[in-house]
Amino acid sequence: MVVFGGTGDLAMRKLLPALYYLHRDGHLHPDTRILALARAQHSLESYRKLVKRHVGQHVPRRDFDQSVWELFAERLDYLSLDVSQRVAFPRLTKVLKPGTGRVRVFYLATLPSLFAPTVQHLAAVGLTDEHARVVLEKPLGESLQTATRINEQIGQVFDESRVFRIDHYLGKEAVQNLLALRFGNALFEPLWRNAHIDHVQISVLESVGVENRGDYYDRAGAMRDMVQNHLLQLLCLVAMEAPVHFEPEAVRNEKLKILEALRPITGMDVQDRTVRGQYAAGEHAGERLPAYYFEKSVDHDSNTETFVALQAEIDNWRWAGVPFYLRTGKCMAQRKSEIVIQFKPVPHKLFPHHGDSPENNRLIISLQPDEGIRLSLMAKSPGRGMGLQQVELDLNFDEAFTRRRWDAYERLLLDVIEGDATLFMRRDEIGAAWRWVDPIIDGWRDCYRSPKRYPAGSWGPEAADSLLERRGHRWLDQR
Ligand code: NAP
């Protein structure tokens, strides 16, 4: 496992803790070695110390064991190398001998602008044989054009079966449970269509701001950072047809069909069906939060969006007429990711109901902070009469499964080692997602430059509420 960017935030917070768990639980072959690379100078000892500090921070105390750590540390190696310098790569072949027939995973946890040079330089020194595979972190490009260029450059070295484009949302247990729920149960599938579903809401909300990623974020914004990948992938899993097999091509073919069926949002629709926001100063949990444009490394005149809400439509038989509302934001009132499937009301009301919820059912799939599935049903209120009230069947995964649940990166890293690409994005999926997203970003740039302000710690701009209200809906989690 060769981790480019081996001193970075992603490596320290996610990849190395995930590898520690895979090692601890006996999922790594005894000969597996982890080679980390970055420009910083480290001795092997100082690098191992650095990793130990971070793994210690990110793995709960009960899971960290000194004797396990010592064996894990023996797998770790470090090399200082600037990947933009082709002349540096022959040094790599002293550590990684070409032509050994070993499976090698090159994990590119660096800026996307370094992806193409890295693989070209690896190829030049003979390290990209048929046993090598490459993992690319999101965001892949900034537009269809840049993503296509990166994919073409990678494709000159690695054929598609050896390219793993990671979207860690797909590694989450709750996301895979969405597939299990849909395709492992007979109960929901007959209802999973426009005849019975009123609309769908997909939200990925963070309570934190851009933290120390202002430089990257100010160039990307919420649309490129979250919607183009995580939210559209979730939408695909909700909306896709049952694949014939649970195998990479079958699953990815079905996801692609959904991306291709998304109705384009262009011209006036950009104003009508999308809302972009940017957080102003505010407060969360008693703490004052600065406006986005005062964050470190963010331009004071920035028009970058930190919030997006939009209404997507899928033009196919199953979903015609069902709005899919997508929403993501930073500095929101709550941290949570969830999918809400709102079913239609009963065709004829027999009973009065109490409270403000109409007589209909709702399925809520929570992805974070808690993972679980809730189904709201109408039940008779205790006492006289036949008044109804809403109650929930609540499946909390923490309570249902006592075994520790894997982090998304553990699952996905093991899939890469085993060569299983089912939960990774194929090149044409990336293209289709950008093809849909690009005209929205163009529309904002050409006509609606200024994002709407919302106080940090709130539920986003009011326009996001109006987006749903105009269609007789409301966000089902707020106010
Ligand atoms: P980061 O903290 O800035 O780390 C970047 C890493 O790349 C560092 O180890 C850096 O070390 C190394 N690096 C930079 N230039 C290099 C060069 N020319 N040659 C060799 N190494 C070089 O970034 P990150 O947050 O870990 O993110 C890495 C990638 O993952 C990005 O594409 C990001 O968008 C993506 N990602 C990150 C997260 C996350 O949670 N952090 C989540 C999803 C996706 P030196 O400076 O010492 O070279």
Side-chain angles (χ1 to χ4, degrees), residues 5-10 13 38-40 81-83 109-112 114 137-139 213:
T7 56
D9 176 69
L10 183 71
R13 228 163 28 85
R39 288 168 305 180
L81 183 138
D82 183 343
V83 294
T110 54
L111 283 178
L114 294 173
E137 261 298 341
K138 66 130 213 194
R213 298 180 74 212

mmCIF file with all atom_site columns, all heavy atoms in Angstrom, residues 5-10 13 38-40 81-83 109-112 114 137-139 213, ligand 1:
data_model
loop_
_atom_site.group_PDB
_atom_site.id
_atom_site.type_symbol
_atom_site.label_atom_id
_atom_site.label_alt_id
_atom_site.label_comp_id
_atom_site.label_asym_id
_atom_site.label_entity_id
_atom_site.label_seq_id
_atom_site.pdbx_PDB_ins_code
_atom_site.Cartn_x
_atom_site.Cartn_y
_atom_site.Cartn_z
_atom_site.occupancy
_atom_site.B_iso_or_equiv
_atom_site.pdbx_formal_charge
_atom_site.auth_seq_id
_atom_site.auth_comp_id
_atom_site.auth_asym_id
_atom_site.auth_atom_id
_atom_site.pdbx_PDB_model_num
ATOM   1   N N   . GLY A 1 5   ? 1.010   11.418 -0.139 1.00 0.00 ? 5   GLY A N   1
ATOM   2   C CA  . GLY A 1 5   ? 0.306   12.333 0.781  1.00 0.00 ? 5   GLY A CA  1
ATOM   3   C C   . GLY A 1 5   ? 0.228   11.690 2.155  1.00 0.00 ? 5   GLY A C   1
ATOM   4   O O   . GLY A 1 5   ? -0.719  11.898 2.905  1.00 0.00 ? 5   GLY A O   1
ATOM   5   N N   . GLY A 1 6   ? 1.258   10.915 2.490  1.00 0.00 ? 6   GLY A N   1
ATOM   6   C CA  . GLY A 1 6   ? 1.243   10.098 3.709  1.00 0.00 ? 6   GLY A CA  1
ATOM   7   C C   . GLY A 1 6   ? 1.379   10.880 5.001  1.00 0.00 ? 6   GLY A C   1
ATOM   8   O O   . GLY A 1 6   ? 1.310   10.290 6.086  1.00 0.00 ? 6   GLY A O   1
ATOM   9   N N   . THR A 1 7   ? 1.571   12.216 4.898  1.00 0.00 ? 7   THR A N   1
ATOM   10  C CA  . THR A 1 7   ? 1.615   13.021 6.130  1.00 0.00 ? 7   THR A CA  1
ATOM   11  C C   . THR A 1 7   ? 0.390   13.926 6.224  1.00 0.00 ? 7   THR A C   1
ATOM   12  O O   . THR A 1 7   ? 0.282   14.728 7.144  1.00 0.00 ? 7   THR A O   1
ATOM   13  C CB  . THR A 1 7   ? 2.860   13.945 6.136  1.00 0.00 ? 7   THR A CB  1
ATOM   14  O OG1 . THR A 1 7   ? 2.819   14.746 4.941  1.00 0.00 ? 7   THR A OG1 1
ATOM   15  C CG2 . THR A 1 7   ? 4.151   13.145 6.164  1.00 0.00 ? 7   THR A CG2 1
ATOM   16  N N   . GLY A 1 8   ? -0.508  13.820 5.258  1.00 0.00 ? 8   GLY A N   1
ATOM   17  C CA  . GLY A 1 8   ? -1.639  14.762 5.167  1.00 0.00 ? 8   GLY A CA  1
ATOM   18  C C   . GLY A 1 8   ? -2.774  14.417 6.115  1.00 0.00 ? 8   GLY A C   1
ATOM   19  O O   . GLY A 1 8   ? -2.771  13.390 6.809  1.00 0.00 ? 8   GLY A O   1
ATOM   20  N N   . ASP A 1 9   ? -3.756  15.286 6.102  1.00 0.00 ? 9   ASP A N   1
ATOM   21  C CA  . ASP A 1 9   ? -4.913  15.148 6.990  1.00 0.00 ? 9   ASP A CA  1
ATOM   22  C C   . ASP A 1 9   ? -5.660  13.839 6.732  1.00 0.00 ? 9   ASP A C   1
ATOM   23  O O   . ASP A 1 9   ? -6.016  13.102 7.655  1.00 0.00 ? 9   ASP A O   1
ATOM   24  C CB  . ASP A 1 9   ? -5.838  16.363 6.740  1.00 0.00 ? 9   ASP A CB  1
ATOM   25  C CG  . ASP A 1 9   ? -7.108  16.285 7.538  1.00 0.00 ? 9   ASP A CG  1
ATOM   26  O OD1 . ASP A 1 9   ? -7.023  16.407 8.771  1.00 0.00 ? 9   ASP A OD1 1
ATOM   27  O OD2 . ASP A 1 9   ? -8.181  16.084 6.935  1.00 0.00 ? 9   ASP A OD2 1
ATOM   28  N N   . LEU A 1 10  ? -5.890  13.544 5.471  1.00 0.00 ? 10  LEU A N   1
ATOM   29  C CA  . LEU A 1 10  ? -6.662  12.337 5.139  1.00 0.00 ? 10  LEU A CA  1
ATOM   30  C C   . LEU A 1 10  ? -5.920  11.079 5.594  1.00 0.00 ? 10  LEU A C   1
ATOM   31  O O   . LEU A 1 10  ? -6.505  10.171 6.186  1.00 0.00 ? 10  LEU A O   1
ATOM   32  C CB  . LEU A 1 10  ? -6.910  12.282 3.622  1.00 0.00 ? 10  LEU A CB  1
ATOM   33  C CG  . LEU A 1 10  ? -7.765  11.114 3.179  1.00 0.00 ? 10  LEU A CG  1
ATOM   34  C CD1 . LEU A 1 10  ? -9.207  11.314 3.608  1.00 0.00 ? 10  LEU A CD1 1
ATOM   35  C CD2 . LEU A 1 10  ? -7.695  10.927 1.666  1.00 0.00 ? 10  LEU A CD2 1
ATOM   36  N N   . ARG A 1 13  ? -5.928  11.029 9.530  1.00 0.00 ? 13  ARG A N   1
ATOM   37  C CA  . ARG A 1 13  ? -7.230  10.924 10.204 1.00 0.00 ? 13  ARG A CA  1
ATOM   38  C C   . ARG A 1 13  ? -7.992  9.675  9.804  1.00 0.00 ? 13  ARG A C   1
ATOM   39  O O   . ARG A 1 13  ? -8.753  9.125  10.582 1.00 0.00 ? 13  ARG A O   1
ATOM   40  C CB  . ARG A 1 13  ? -8.053  12.166 9.850  1.00 0.00 ? 13  ARG A CB  1
ATOM   41  C CG  . ARG A 1 13  ? -8.695  12.845 11.013 1.00 0.00 ? 13  ARG A CG  1
ATOM   42  C CD  . ARG A 1 13  ? -9.156  14.254 10.719 1.00 0.00 ? 13  ARG A CD  1
ATOM   43  N NE  . ARG A 1 13  ? -9.497  14.534 9.351  1.00 0.00 ? 13  ARG A NE  1
ATOM   44  C CZ  . ARG A 1 13  ? -10.670 14.298 8.801  1.00 0.00 ? 13  ARG A CZ  1
ATOM   45  N NH1 . ARG A 1 13  ? -11.630 13.745 9.504  1.00 0.00 ? 13  ARG A NH1 1
ATOM   46  N NH2 . ARG A 1 13  ? -10.895 14.616 7.537  1.00 0.00 ? 13  ARG A NH2 1
ATOM   47  N N   . ALA A 1 38  ? 5.750   11.767 1.053  1.00 0.00 ? 38  ALA A N   1
ATOM   48  C CA  . ALA A 1 38  ? 5.415   13.200 1.028  1.00 0.00 ? 38  ALA A CA  1
ATOM   49  C C   . ALA A 1 38  ? 6.750   13.929 0.881  1.00 0.00 ? 38  ALA A C   1
ATOM   50  O O   . ALA A 1 38  ? 7.817   13.292 0.919  1.00 0.00 ? 38  ALA A O   1
ATOM   51  C CB  . ALA A 1 38  ? 4.692   13.616 2.299  1.00 0.00 ? 38  ALA A CB  1
ATOM   52  N N   . ARG A 1 39  ? 6.693   15.251 0.717  1.00 0.00 ? 39  ARG A N   1
ATOM   53  C CA  . ARG A 1 39  ? 7.959   15.973 0.544  1.00 0.00 ? 39  ARG A CA  1
ATOM   54  C C   . ARG A 1 39  ? 8.688   16.146 1.871  1.00 0.00 ? 39  ARG A C   1
ATOM   55  O O   . ARG A 1 39  ? 9.913   16.214 1.899  1.00 0.00 ? 39  ARG A O   1
ATOM   56  C CB  . ARG A 1 39  ? 7.692   17.344 -0.078 1.00 0.00 ? 39  ARG A CB  1
ATOM   57  C CG  . ARG A 1 39  ? 7.300   17.276 -1.532 1.00 0.00 ? 39  ARG A CG  1
ATOM   58  C CD  . ARG A 1 39  ? 6.762   18.600 -2.000 1.00 0.00 ? 39  ARG A CD  1
ATOM   59  N NE  . ARG A 1 39  ? 5.660   19.025 -1.132 1.00 0.00 ? 39  ARG A NE  1
ATOM   60  C CZ  . ARG A 1 39  ? 4.966   20.139 -1.275 1.00 0.00 ? 39  ARG A CZ  1
ATOM   61  N NH1 . ARG A 1 39  ? 5.249   20.966 -2.269 1.00 0.00 ? 39  ARG A NH1 1
ATOM   62  N NH2 . ARG A 1 39  ? 3.981   20.438 -0.453 1.00 0.00 ? 39  ARG A NH2 1
ATOM   63  N N   . ALA A 1 40  ? 7.935   16.247 2.972  1.00 0.00 ? 40  ALA A N   1
ATOM   64  C CA  . ALA A 1 40  ? 8.566   16.508 4.276  1.00 0.00 ? 40  ALA A CA  1
ATOM   65  C C   . ALA A 1 40  ? 9.633   15.459 4.578  1.00 0.00 ? 40  ALA A C   1
ATOM   66  O O   . ALA A 1 40  ? 9.496   14.296 4.200  1.00 0.00 ? 40  ALA A O   1
ATOM   67  C CB  . ALA A 1 40  ? 7.499   16.483 5.366  1.00 0.00 ? 40  ALA A CB  1
ATOM   68  N N   . LEU A 1 81  ? 9.665   12.339 -1.006 1.00 0.00 ? 81  LEU A N   1
ATOM   69  C CA  . LEU A 1 81  ? 9.723   12.398 -2.470 1.00 0.00 ? 81  LEU A CA  1
ATOM   70  C C   . LEU A 1 81  ? 8.729   13.446 -2.973 1.00 0.00 ? 81  LEU A C   1
ATOM   71  O O   . LEU A 1 81  ? 7.594   13.498 -2.490 1.00 0.00 ? 81  LEU A O   1
ATOM   72  C CB  . LEU A 1 81  ? 9.379   11.008 -3.007 1.00 0.00 ? 81  LEU A CB  1
ATOM   73  C CG  . LEU A 1 81  ? 9.443   10.762 -4.504 1.00 0.00 ? 81  LEU A CG  1
ATOM   74  C CD1 . LEU A 1 81  ? 10.086  9.403  -4.767 1.00 0.00 ? 81  LEU A CD1 1
ATOM   75  C CD2 . LEU A 1 81  ? 8.055   10.757 -5.111 1.00 0.00 ? 81  LEU A CD2 1
ATOM   76  N N   . ASP A 1 82  ? 9.180   14.263 -3.915 1.00 0.00 ? 82  ASP A N   1
ATOM   77  C CA  . ASP A 1 82  ? 8.279   15.246 -4.526 1.00 0.00 ? 82  ASP A CA  1
ATOM   78  C C   . ASP A 1 82  ? 7.729   14.618 -5.803 1.00 0.00 ? 82  ASP A C   1
ATOM   79  O O   . ASP A 1 82  ? 8.466   14.397 -6.758 1.00 0.00 ? 82  ASP A O   1
ATOM   80  C CB  . ASP A 1 82  ? 9.068   16.529 -4.833 1.00 0.00 ? 82  ASP A CB  1
ATOM   81  C CG  . ASP A 1 82  ? 8.173   17.622 -5.400 1.00 0.00 ? 82  ASP A CG  1
ATOM   82  O OD1 . ASP A 1 82  ? 7.053   17.309 -5.858 1.00 0.00 ? 82  ASP A OD1 1
ATOM   83  O OD2 . ASP A 1 82  ? 8.597   18.789 -5.378 1.00 0.00 ? 82  ASP A OD2 1
ATOM   84  N N   . VAL A 1 83  ? 6.417   14.342 -5.805 1.00 0.00 ? 83  VAL A N   1
ATOM   85  C CA  . VAL A 1 83  ? 5.861   13.591 -6.937 1.00 0.00 ? 83  VAL A CA  1
ATOM   86  C C   . VAL A 1 83  ? 5.853   14.394 -8.240 1.00 0.00 ? 83  VAL A C   1
ATOM   87  O O   . VAL A 1 83  ? 5.698   13.835 -9.312 1.00 0.00 ? 83  VAL A O   1
ATOM   88  C CB  . VAL A 1 83  ? 4.430   13.072 -6.671 1.00 0.00 ? 83  VAL A CB  1
ATOM   89  C CG1 . VAL A 1 83  ? 4.424   12.037 -5.582 1.00 0.00 ? 83  VAL A CG1 1
ATOM   90  C CG2 . VAL A 1 83  ? 3.468   14.201 -6.372 1.00 0.00 ? 83  VAL A CG2 1
ATOM   91  N N   . ALA A 1 109 ? -3.485  10.423 -2.113 1.00 0.00 ? 109 ALA A N   1
ATOM   92  C CA  . ALA A 1 109 ? -4.132  11.330 -1.152 1.00 0.00 ? 109 ALA A CA  1
ATOM   93  C C   . ALA A 1 109 ? -3.429  12.685 -1.226 1.00 0.00 ? 109 ALA A C   1
ATOM   94  O O   . ALA A 1 109 ? -2.904  13.199 -0.235 1.00 0.00 ? 109 ALA A O   1
ATOM   95  C CB  . ALA A 1 109 ? -4.066  10.743 0.255  1.00 0.00 ? 109 ALA A CB  1
ATOM   96  N N   . THR A 1 110 ? -3.387  13.224 -2.438 1.00 0.00 ? 110 THR A N   1
ATOM   97  C CA  . THR A 1 110 ? -2.727  14.514 -2.676 1.00 0.00 ? 110 THR A CA  1
ATOM   98  C C   . THR A 1 110 ? -3.691  15.381 -3.481 1.00 0.00 ? 110 THR A C   1
ATOM   99  O O   . THR A 1 110 ? -4.786  14.954 -3.815 1.00 0.00 ? 110 THR A O   1
ATOM   100 C CB  . THR A 1 110 ? -1.451  14.318 -3.506 1.00 0.00 ? 110 THR A CB  1
ATOM   101 O OG1 . THR A 1 110 ? -1.811  13.616 -4.687 1.00 0.00 ? 110 THR A OG1 1
ATOM   102 C CG2 . THR A 1 110 ? -0.387  13.559 -2.760 1.00 0.00 ? 110 THR A CG2 1
ATOM   103 N N   . LEU A 1 111 ? -3.244  16.564 -3.850 1.00 0.00 ? 111 LEU A N   1
ATOM   104 C CA  . LEU A 1 111 ? -4.082  17.422 -4.693 1.00 0.00 ? 111 LEU A CA  1
ATOM   105 C C   . LEU A 1 111 ? -4.347  16.737 -6.030 1.00 0.00 ? 111 LEU A C   1
ATOM   106 O O   . LEU A 1 111 ? -3.439  16.115 -6.602 1.00 0.00 ? 111 LEU A O   1
ATOM   107 C CB  . LEU A 1 111 ? -3.351  18.739 -4.979 1.00 0.00 ? 111 LEU A CB  1
ATOM   108 C CG  . LEU A 1 111 ? -3.322  19.768 -3.877 1.00 0.00 ? 111 LEU A CG  1
ATOM   109 C CD1 . LEU A 1 111 ? -2.515  20.977 -4.338 1.00 0.00 ? 111 LEU A CD1 1
ATOM   110 C CD2 . LEU A 1 111 ? -4.736  20.174 -3.506 1.00 0.00 ? 111 LEU A CD2 1
ATOM   111 N N   . PRO A 1 112 ? -5.562  16.884 -6.578 1.00 0.00 ? 112 PRO A N   1
ATOM   112 C CA  . PRO A 1 112 ? -5.861  16.257 -7.870 1.00 0.00 ? 112 PRO A CA  1
ATOM   113 C C   . PRO A 1 112 ? -4.904  16.699 -8.986 1.00 0.00 ? 112 PRO A C   1
ATOM   114 O O   . PRO A 1 112 ? -4.650  15.934 -9.907 1.00 0.00 ? 112 PRO A O   1
ATOM   115 C CB  . PRO A 1 112 ? -7.291  16.724 -8.168 1.00 0.00 ? 112 PRO A CB  1
ATOM   116 C CG  . PRO A 1 112 ? -7.866  17.076 -6.848 1.00 0.00 ? 112 PRO A CG  1
ATOM   117 C CD  . PRO A 1 112 ? -6.739  17.524 -5.975 1.00 0.00 ? 112 PRO A CD  1
ATOM   118 N N   . LEU A 1 114 ? -1.921  16.704 -8.898 1.00 0.00 ? 114 LEU A N   1
ATOM   119 C CA  . LEU A 1 114 ? -0.734  15.841 -8.883 1.00 0.00 ? 114 LEU A CA  1
ATOM   120 C C   . LEU A 1 114 ? -1.044  14.418 -9.357 1.00 0.00 ? 114 LEU A C   1
ATOM   121 O O   . LEU A 1 114 ? -0.134  13.600 -9.502 1.00 0.00 ? 114 LEU A O   1
ATOM   122 C CB  . LEU A 1 114 ? -0.148  15.782 -7.458 1.00 0.00 ? 114 LEU A CB  1
ATOM   123 C CG  . LEU A 1 114 ? 0.420   17.103 -6.923 1.00 0.00 ? 114 LEU A CG  1
ATOM   124 C CD1 . LEU A 1 114 ? 0.800   16.973 -5.457 1.00 0.00 ? 114 LEU A CD1 1
ATOM   125 C CD2 . LEU A 1 114 ? 1.645   17.529 -7.744 1.00 0.00 ? 114 LEU A CD2 1
ATOM   126 N N   . GLU A 1 137 ? -8.624  10.159 -4.914 1.00 0.00 ? 137 GLU A N   1
ATOM   127 C CA  . GLU A 1 137 ? -9.529  10.816 -3.973 1.00 0.00 ? 137 GLU A CA  1
ATOM   128 C C   . GLU A 1 137 ? -10.378 11.843 -4.710 1.00 0.00 ? 137 GLU A C   1
ATOM   129 O O   . GLU A 1 137 ? -10.009 12.333 -5.769 1.00 0.00 ? 137 GLU A O   1
ATOM   130 C CB  . GLU A 1 137 ? -8.714  11.514 -2.871 1.00 0.00 ? 137 GLU A CB  1
ATOM   131 C CG  . GLU A 1 137 ? -8.611  10.731 -1.590 1.00 0.00 ? 137 GLU A CG  1
ATOM   132 C CD  . GLU A 1 137 ? -9.957  10.484 -0.914 1.00 0.00 ? 137 GLU A CD  1
ATOM   133 O OE1 . GLU A 1 137 ? -10.934 11.188 -1.208 1.00 0.00 ? 137 GLU A OE1 1
ATOM   134 O OE2 . GLU A 1 137 ? -10.029 9.555  -0.091 1.00 0.00 ? 137 GLU A OE2 1
ATOM   135 N N   . LYS A 1 138 ? -11.524 12.145 -4.146 1.00 0.00 ? 138 LYS A N   1
ATOM   136 C CA  . LYS A 1 138 ? -12.325 13.227 -4.715 1.00 0.00 ? 138 LYS A CA  1
ATOM   137 C C   . LYS A 1 138 ? -11.712 14.560 -4.277 1.00 0.00 ? 138 LYS A C   1
ATOM   138 O O   . LYS A 1 138 ? -10.993 14.591 -3.279 1.00 0.00 ? 138 LYS A O   1
ATOM   139 C CB  . LYS A 1 138 ? -13.773 13.116 -4.269 1.00 0.00 ? 138 LYS A CB  1
ATOM   140 C CG  . LYS A 1 138 ? -13.949 13.345 -2.745 1.00 0.00 ? 138 LYS A CG  1
ATOM   141 C CD  . LYS A 1 138 ? -15.000 14.332 -2.410 1.00 0.00 ? 138 LYS A CD  1
ATOM   142 C CE  . LYS A 1 138 ? -14.692 15.112 -1.187 1.00 0.00 ? 138 LYS A CE  1
ATOM   143 N NZ  . LYS A 1 138 ? -15.660 15.885 -0.541 1.00 0.00 ? 138 LYS A NZ  1
ATOM   144 N N   . PRO A 1 139 ? -11.939 15.681 -4.884 1.00 0.00 ? 139 PRO A N   1
ATOM   145 C CA  . PRO A 1 139 ? -12.769 15.844 -6.077 1.00 0.00 ? 139 PRO A CA  1
ATOM   146 C C   . PRO A 1 139 ? -11.934 15.541 -7.324 1.00 0.00 ? 139 PRO A C   1
ATOM   147 O O   . PRO A 1 139 ? -10.767 15.922 -7.392 1.00 0.00 ? 139 PRO A O   1
ATOM   148 C CB  . PRO A 1 139 ? -13.136 17.324 -6.027 1.00 0.00 ? 139 PRO A CB  1
ATOM   149 C CG  . PRO A 1 139 ? -11.983 17.971 -5.335 1.00 0.00 ? 139 PRO A CG  1
ATOM   150 C CD  . PRO A 1 139 ? -11.407 16.960 -4.393 1.00 0.00 ? 139 PRO A CD  1
ATOM   151 N N   . ARG A 1 213 ? -9.348  24.230 5.735  1.00 0.00 ? 213 ARG A N   1
ATOM   152 C CA  . ARG A 1 213 ? -9.311  23.863 4.313  1.00 0.00 ? 213 ARG A CA  1
ATOM   153 C C   . ARG A 1 213 ? -9.807  25.012 3.420  1.00 0.00 ? 213 ARG A C   1
ATOM   154 O O   . ARG A 1 213 ? -10.259 24.799 2.301  1.00 0.00 ? 213 ARG A O   1
ATOM   155 C CB  . ARG A 1 213 ? -10.155 22.609 4.076  1.00 0.00 ? 213 ARG A CB  1
ATOM   156 C CG  . ARG A 1 213 ? -9.633  21.387 4.836  1.00 0.00 ? 213 ARG A CG  1
ATOM   157 C CD  . ARG A 1 213 ? -10.471 20.165 4.590  1.00 0.00 ? 213 ARG A CD  1
ATOM   158 N NE  . ARG A 1 213 ? -10.263 19.604 3.273  1.00 0.00 ? 213 ARG A NE  1
ATOM   159 C CZ  . ARG A 1 213 ? -11.222 18.980 2.581  1.00 0.00 ? 213 ARG A CZ  1
ATOM   160 N NH1 . ARG A 1 213 ? -12.436 18.895 3.057  1.00 0.00 ? 213 ARG A NH1 1
ATOM   161 N NH2 . ARG A 1 213 ? -10.953 18.470 1.391  1.00 0.00 ? 213 ARG A NH2 1
HETATM 162 P P1  . NAP B 2 .   ? -3.318  17.763 3.001  1.00 0.00 ? 1   NAP B P1  1
HETATM 163 O O1  . NAP B 2 .   ? -3.525  17.634 4.465  1.00 0.00 ? 1   NAP B O1  1
HETATM 164 O O2  . NAP B 2 .   ? -2.974  19.095 2.429  1.00 0.00 ? 1   NAP B O2  1
HETATM 165 O O3  . NAP B 2 .   ? -2.178  16.725 2.613  1.00 0.00 ? 1   NAP B O3  1
HETATM 166 C C1  . NAP B 2 .   ? -1.562  16.704 1.357  1.00 0.00 ? 1   NAP B C1  1
HETATM 167 C C2  . NAP B 2 .   ? -0.464  15.661 1.389  1.00 0.00 ? 1   NAP B C2  1
HETATM 168 O O4  . NAP B 2 .   ? 0.174   15.653 0.116  1.00 0.00 ? 1   NAP B O4  1
HETATM 169 C C3  . NAP B 2 .   ? 0.618   15.951 2.416  1.00 0.00 ? 1   NAP B C3  1
HETATM 170 O O5  . NAP B 2 .   ? 1.107   14.726 2.922  1.00 0.00 ? 1   NAP B O5  1
HETATM 171 C C4  . NAP B 2 .   ? 1.689   16.648 1.580  1.00 0.00 ? 1   NAP B C4  1
HETATM 172 O O6  . NAP B 2 .   ? 2.930   16.519 2.232  1.00 0.00 ? 1   NAP B O6  1
HETATM 173 C C5  . NAP B 2 .   ? 1.584   15.831 0.299  1.00 0.00 ? 1   NAP B C5  1
HETATM 174 N N1  . NAP B 2 .   ? 2.104   16.542 -0.876 1.00 0.00 ? 1   NAP B N1  1
HETATM 175 C C6  . NAP B 2 .   ? 1.738   17.751 -1.344 1.00 0.00 ? 1   NAP B C6  1
HETATM 176 N N2  . NAP B 2 .   ? 2.454   18.057 -2.443 1.00 0.00 ? 1   NAP B N2  1
HETATM 177 C C7  . NAP B 2 .   ? 3.275   17.011 -2.676 1.00 0.00 ? 1   NAP B C7  1
HETATM 178 C C8  . NAP B 2 .   ? 4.248   16.729 -3.657 1.00 0.00 ? 1   NAP B C8  1
HETATM 179 N N3  . NAP B 2 .   ? 4.524   17.597 -4.652 1.00 0.00 ? 1   NAP B N3  1
HETATM 180 N N4  . NAP B 2 .   ? 4.892   15.554 -3.595 1.00 0.00 ? 1   NAP B N4  1
HETATM 181 C C9  . NAP B 2 .   ? 4.630   14.657 -2.615 1.00 0.00 ? 1   NAP B C9  1
HETATM 182 N N5  . NAP B 2 .   ? 3.712   14.859 -1.663 1.00 0.00 ? 1   NAP B N5  1
HETATM 183 C C10 . NAP B 2 .   ? 3.041   16.024 -1.689 1.00 0.00 ? 1   NAP B C10 1
HETATM 184 O O7  . NAP B 2 .   ? -4.574  17.256 2.181  1.00 0.00 ? 1   NAP B O7  1
HETATM 185 P P2  . NAP B 2 .   ? -5.666  16.170 2.632  1.00 0.00 ? 1   NAP B P2  1
HETATM 186 O O8  . NAP B 2 .   ? -6.748  16.875 3.368  1.00 0.00 ? 1   NAP B O8  1
HETATM 187 O O9  . NAP B 2 .   ? -4.991  15.010 3.275  1.00 0.00 ? 1   NAP B O9  1
HETATM 188 O O10 . NAP B 2 .   ? -6.299  15.771 1.226  1.00 0.00 ? 1   NAP B O10 1
HETATM 189 C C11 . NAP B 2 .   ? -5.606  14.964 0.289  1.00 0.00 ? 1   NAP B C11 1
HETATM 190 C C12 . NAP B 2 .   ? -6.551  14.668 -0.877 1.00 0.00 ? 1   NAP B C12 1
HETATM 191 O O11 . NAP B 2 .   ? -7.686  13.968 -0.383 1.00 0.00 ? 1   NAP B O11 1
HETATM 192 C C13 . NAP B 2 .   ? -7.095  15.916 -1.567 1.00 0.00 ? 1   NAP B C13 1
HETATM 193 O O12 . NAP B 2 .   ? -7.302  15.626 -2.930 1.00 0.00 ? 1   NAP B O12 1
HETATM 194 C C14 . NAP B 2 .   ? -8.428  16.124 -0.876 1.00 0.00 ? 1   NAP B C14 1
HETATM 195 O O13 . NAP B 2 .   ? -9.338  16.838 -1.687 1.00 0.00 ? 1   NAP B O13 1
HETATM 196 C C15 . NAP B 2 .   ? -8.869  14.685 -0.684 1.00 0.00 ? 1   NAP B C15 1
HETATM 197 N N6  . NAP B 2 .   ? -9.815  14.495 0.409  1.00 0.00 ? 1   NAP B N6  1
HETATM 198 C C16 . NAP B 2 .   ? -9.492  14.817 1.674  1.00 0.00 ? 1   NAP B C16 1
HETATM 199 C C17 . NAP B 2 .   ? -10.399 14.593 2.695  1.00 0.00 ? 1   NAP B C17 1
HETATM 200 C C18 . NAP B 2 .   ? -10.068 14.908 4.124  1.00 0.00 ? 1   NAP B C18 1
HETATM 201 O O14 . NAP B 2 .   ? -10.901 14.600 4.981  1.00 0.00 ? 1   NAP B O14 1
HETATM 202 N N7  . NAP B 2 .   ? -8.932  15.496 4.420  1.00 0.00 ? 1   NAP B N7  1
HETATM 203 C C19 . NAP B 2 .   ? -11.649 14.032 2.416  1.00 0.00 ? 1   NAP B C19 1
HETATM 204 C C20 . NAP B 2 .   ? -11.949 13.694 1.104  1.00 0.00 ? 1   NAP B C20 1
HETATM 205 C C21 . NAP B 2 .   ? -11.025 13.918 0.116  1.00 0.00 ? 1   NAP B C21 1
HETATM 206 P P3  . NAP B 2 .   ? 4.174   17.509 1.947  1.00 0.00 ? 1   NAP B P3  1
HETATM 207 O O15 . NAP B 2 .   ? 3.640   18.909 1.968  1.00 0.00 ? 1   NAP B O15 1
HETATM 208 O O16 . NAP B 2 .   ? 5.153   17.204 3.026  1.00 0.00 ? 1   NAP B O16 1
HETATM 209 O O17 . NAP B 2 .   ? 4.680   17.126 0.614  1.00 0.00 ? 1   NAP B O17 1
#
